Amino acid sequence: MSTSTRVGRSIATGSGHLGRGSAVLAVLTVQVIAFAAAYVAEQPTLYALFAMGSAAAIAGATGGGLRGVAAAAVATGVVGAIGWALESYWILVVGPVIFTLVVGTTERRWAGVAAATMGSVLLVALALPLALFVARQDPGLVSEALRSPEVHRMLYLTVYGPLLATLFTLVFGVPLAYLLARGFPGRPLVEGLVDLPLVVPHSVAGLLILFGFGRGAAFPELGVLGTTVGMVLAMAFVSAPFAVNVAREAFEDVERDVERAARVHGASQFEAFRRVSLPLAARGVLTGGVLAWARAVSEFGAVAVVAYNVSFFYPPAGEVVTGQHAPVFIFNTFTAGSLAESSAVAFVLLSMSLGIFLLVRWLAYDASTAGVIR
């Protein structure tokens, strides 16, 4: 076994001098330094090229050794040179596709290099806007946003409302997910109804809530227009498919023989569900709940139609106040003519959401690793 191959495998498995955690930290450090250099030089395109090349190089080191790293470096350089000569960086997208077709199909061990280069296109498309967004924030405006009472109310409503919507979808969606997993006559029709909100335009979803629960509808006493109830119903409408579908897949992975064994030992069907199926599917149910919460946080169209301004009880003030859900609040700030202020509020929202995601992952997924987030 060559030295380069052993180094590559130690990075992949963490069995060598450089463990997996150290390797990830080293890669992140290099990426941050490269992005900072490209940002200072006002050449973010160079970082995009570097990110693609480094992803391919890592894959090359783990699969093809130094030859793979060299191939990735040469391919990335060729892609960059072509883009520079043509004065068009569309080659950053087209190049990896051609590279995959040429290299990935000719030699198996270099297929990982080609796949990493292809995958890095999507990663760059996702991460580069976020990195530039964070880098261009005005610390003064972010500090002002953090001290604004209006932003405090917005953040409270943005956590509180989606949390209620998530609880609603889980309480009523988990039993439905279990039934869908076990099957029943008419299941395709019910699954289609559950999935329908995914294709309904969000502004139309808001109208459906008003038609279903507004004045003159089935439950007019709810008073959905401009209320927390209406906002929660709008959020639940658009986020329910995520909770139900993920929970259904988790229940489908639970072996029916395990439930039958519980029934043989005297458990009722409900006890078998509560003590066997639900614990085994708990991780999927939690994931569905997190996705539903995240979807509710980002909802704009349905909330803007049903509850543009929301009256709700605000504990720090000890009274009912009027506020706006985060997407509506940020949209209003943007249309008022301030891109910088709206982006500062968005930065605060993104930071809070990231913190909540990490906390949920630490509490629910990595408890067995003593709080180490993998």
Side-chain angles (χ1 to χ4, degrees):
M1 180 184 298
S2 66
T3 302
S4 59
T5 303
R6 288 198 298 271
V7 171
R9 291 186 177 178
S10 71
I11 294 175
T13 63
S15 59
H17 297 291
L18 192 60
R20 185 175 65 176
S22 300
V24 171
L25 181 61
V27 170
L28 289 178
T29 302
V30 171
Q31 295 294 326
V32 170
I33 293 174
F35 173 77
Y39 180 75
V40 171
E42 299 182 350
Q43 294 290 338
T45 306
L46 292 180
Y47 172 72
L49 195 61
F50 174 82
M52 293 170 53
S54 59
I58 292 173
T62 57
L66 291 179
R67 290 182 60 191
V69 176
V74 171
T76 304
V78 170
V79 168
I82 295 175
W84 189 278
L86 298 178
E87 296 183 353
S88 172
Y89 291 102
W90 280 107
I91 193 67
L92 294 176
V93 178
V94 178
V97 177
I98 299 174
F99 178 71
T100 298
L101 293 175
V102 173
V103 177
T105 57
T106 56
E107 190 169 352
R108 175 185 289 182
R109 63 178 179 172
W110 285 6
V113 182
T117 309
M118 287 283 290
S120 62
V121 174
L122 179 60
L123 292 179
V124 169
L126 295 176
L128 189 59
L130 181 61
L132 289 173
F133 173 79
V134 173
R136 292 177 176 173
Q137 291 303 309
D138 184 339
L141 289 178
V142 173
S143 176
E144 183 179 336
L146 287 171
R147 290 182 279 107
S148 170
E150 290 186 347
V151 174
H152 295 167
R153 289 196 293 270
M154 179 270 290
L155 292 176
Y156 174 80
L157 186 62
T158 303
V159 174
Y160 174 68
L163 183 61
L164 291 179
T166 301
L167 292 176
F168 179 81
T169 56
L170 288 179
V171 168
F172 298 101
V174 168
L176 176 60
Y178 178 76
L179 293 176
L180 289 173
R182 294 297 174 256
F184 56 86
R187 168 181 160 173
L189 179 62
V190 177
E191 288 179 330
L193 183 61
V194 170
D195 291 337
L196 189 60
L198 294 174
V199 298
V200 172
H202 296 170
S203 55
V204 176
L207 295 177
L208 293 178
I209 294 298
L210 292 180
F211 273 91
F213 305 104
R215 183 178 301 174
F219 305 99
E221 64 277 7
L222 286 177
V224 297
L225 189 61
T227 66
T228 304
V229 173
M231 184 183 70
V232 170
L233 286 174
M235 292 176 173
F237 185 89
V238 298
S239 62
F242 296 89
V244 173
N245 286 331
V246 176
R248 185 201 64 203
E249 293 176 359
F251 284 122
E252 287 175 343
D253 291 337
V254 177
E255 295 291 340
R256 292 195 177 190
D257 290 341
V258 180
E259 293 183 359
R260 293 192 186 98
R263 297 292 303 276
V264 168
H265 286 82
S268 65
Q269 186 169 2
F270 176 73
E271 287 177 330
F273 167 78
R274 182 177 65 84
R275 303 180 65 176
V276 178
S277 300
L278 186 58
L280 290 175
R283 190 161 185 164
V285 172
L286 177 62
T287 300
V290 172
L291 291 177
W293 179 83
R295 182 64 191 84
V297 168
S298 63
E299 177 53 29
F300 172 75
V303 173
V305 170
V306 177
Y308 194 86
N309 293 304
V310 187
S311 298
F312 60 98
F313 180 75
Y314 185 52
E319 61 182 359
V320 175
V321 300
T322 300
Q324 294 174 330
H325 184 44
V328 178
F329 185 90
I330 294 171
F331 177 75
N332 276 342
T333 307
F334 175 73
T335 54
S338 178
L339 175 62
E341 290 184 1
S342 61
S343 65
V345 177
F347 176 78
V348 173
L349 175 66
L350 288 175
S351 301
M352 183 196 70
S353 300
L354 178 61
I356 292 177
F357 274 131
L358 292 178
L359 179 63
V360 170
R361 181 175 178 78
W362 180 64
L363 292 176
Y365 292 95
D366 293 315
S368 60
T369 61
V372 178
I373 299 175
R374 290 176 292 187

